């Protein structure tokens, strides 16, 4: 930190340190955010603090699909209007929002909470794969759509799952090409995403 430490009040230093722990925030940005908050009207700062507390107190993960939810099981898992023969596997909860926006999918979801990435030390055991396998044991699910991101990690994850699941005798499909390569599913536009979903292809084991 460039700021002379002794001249900075302890609560400000603490705030800078907390911001610095966030992903994508370097020391400079942490300082900037802290001083921005310092100048904020008290009501706005309080609203931000309350939103953080609320998200930790009220939001949890669905015990079935691992999506973020206020009720467990989540609204999608407990809905009578969803097609229970299909599960769409995604990396992050935000991907579900993107797919729901298209209104092209009526099945269920499963959130892995990441993707296989040897560079970052993330292996299959770090993802929510065990709970996915448990869901397949009932025999109700007939198709699994692998909607991991169209980048290196997403492809590696899809390949791994394809191989793992092929002995089960389940139809395993992958979103069609055409999504921006290297990008994230959540940034794909609705039309592209709907097409990728419609044009999904069976994985070769
Ligand atoms: Zn759920």
């Amino acid at each position: 930190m460039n700021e002379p430490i002794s001249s900075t009040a302890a609560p400000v230093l603490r705030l800078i340190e907390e911001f610095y722990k966030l992903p994508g925030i370097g020391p400079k940005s942490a300082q900037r955010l802290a001083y921005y908050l310092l100048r904020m009207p008290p009501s706005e700062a309080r609203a931000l603090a309350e939103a953080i507390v609320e998200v930790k107190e009220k939001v949890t993960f669905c015990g079935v699909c691992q999506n973020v939810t206020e009720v467990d099981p989540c609204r999608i898992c407990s809905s009578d209007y969803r097609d229970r023969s299909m599960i769409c596997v995604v990396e992050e909860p935000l991907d579900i929002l993107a797919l729901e926006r298209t209104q092209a999918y009526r099945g269920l979801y499963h959130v892995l909470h990441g993707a296989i990435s040897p560079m970052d030390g993330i292996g299959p055991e770090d993802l929510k794969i065990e709970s996915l396998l448990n869901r397949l044991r009932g025999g109700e699910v007939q198709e699994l759509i692998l909607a991991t991101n169209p980048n290196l990690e997403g492809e590696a994850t899809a390949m791994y799952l394809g191989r793992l699941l092929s002995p089960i005798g389940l139809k395993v499909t992958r979103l069609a090409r055409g999504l921006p390569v290297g990008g994230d599913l959540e940034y794909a536009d609705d039309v592209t995403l709907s097409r990728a979903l419609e044009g999904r292809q069976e994985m070769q084991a």
Side-chain angles (χ1 to χ4, degrees):
M1 314 247 159
N2 299 333
E3 200 83 355
I5 298 294
S6 55
S7 71
T8 311
V12 179
L13 278 180
R14 185 178 158 205
L15 190 57
I16 293 172
E17 270 167 31
E18 291 303 324
F19 278 132
Y20 190 36
K21 291 176 190 167
L22 300 177
I25 304 286
K28 277 270 176 209
S29 305
Q31 281 186 22
R32 213 172 307 136
L33 284 169
Y35 285 106
Y36 177 79
L37 276 190
L38 210 55
R39 288 190 298 265
M40 220 184 210
S43 62
E44 275 182 41
R46 187 170 295 276
L48 174 63
E50 281 168 4
I52 293 172
V53 171
E54 193 179 10
V55 84
K56 293 312 288 181
E57 279 176 356
K58 293 195 180 157
V59 180
T60 172
F61 296 103
C62 172
V64 181
C65 72
Q66 315 296 327
N67 190 15
V68 288
T69 177
E70 282 179 78
V71 283
D72 187 14
C74 74
R75 289 191 175 84
I76 293 177
C77 285
S78 58
S79 167
D80 291 333
Y81 301 100
R82 309 293 303 209
D83 180 353
R84 300 190 166 268
S85 69
M86 292 175 147
I87 293 180
C88 181
V89 180
V90 296
E91 292 180 23
E92 301 294 344
L94 280 175
D95 299 331
I96 294 187
L97 289 183
L99 285 158
E100 284 295 289
R101 253 198 330 259
T102 68
Q103 301 191 328
Y105 180 70
R106 304 304 304 157
L108 303 175
Y109 293 97
H110 192 86
V111 185
L112 294 171
H113 288 278
I116 295 172
S117 174
M119 295 260 289
D120 302 311
I122 302 170
E125 66 283 356
D126 299 307
L127 308 179
K128 303 289 181 191
I129 294 176
E130 196 57 49
S131 53
L132 173 63
L133 297 179
N134 285 337
R135 295 179 71 184
L136 303 177
R137 295 210 172 96
E140 202 176 4
V141 180
Q142 271 143 44
E143 183 181 351
L144 209 69
I145 304 167
L146 302 177
T148 49
N149 287 333
N151 55 24
L152 220 60
E153 293 80 17
E155 292 298 342
T157 309
M159 292 291 282
Y160 174 84
L161 287 175
R163 270 198 299 269
L164 184 73
L165 298 167
S166 67
I168 301 179
L170 191 76
K171 186 177 177 191
V172 181
T173 56
R174 178 86 175 108
L175 289 189
R177 311 271 157 187
L179 288 168
V181 173
D184 274 11
L185 210 65
E186 57 168 299
Y187 301 125
D189 65 273
D190 296 0
V191 177
T192 310
L193 204 48
S194 306
R195 283 206 191 117
L197 205 53
E198 270 165 40
R200 65 186 184 270
Q201 287 174 347
E202 201 148 354
M203 297 255 305
Q204 310 297 330

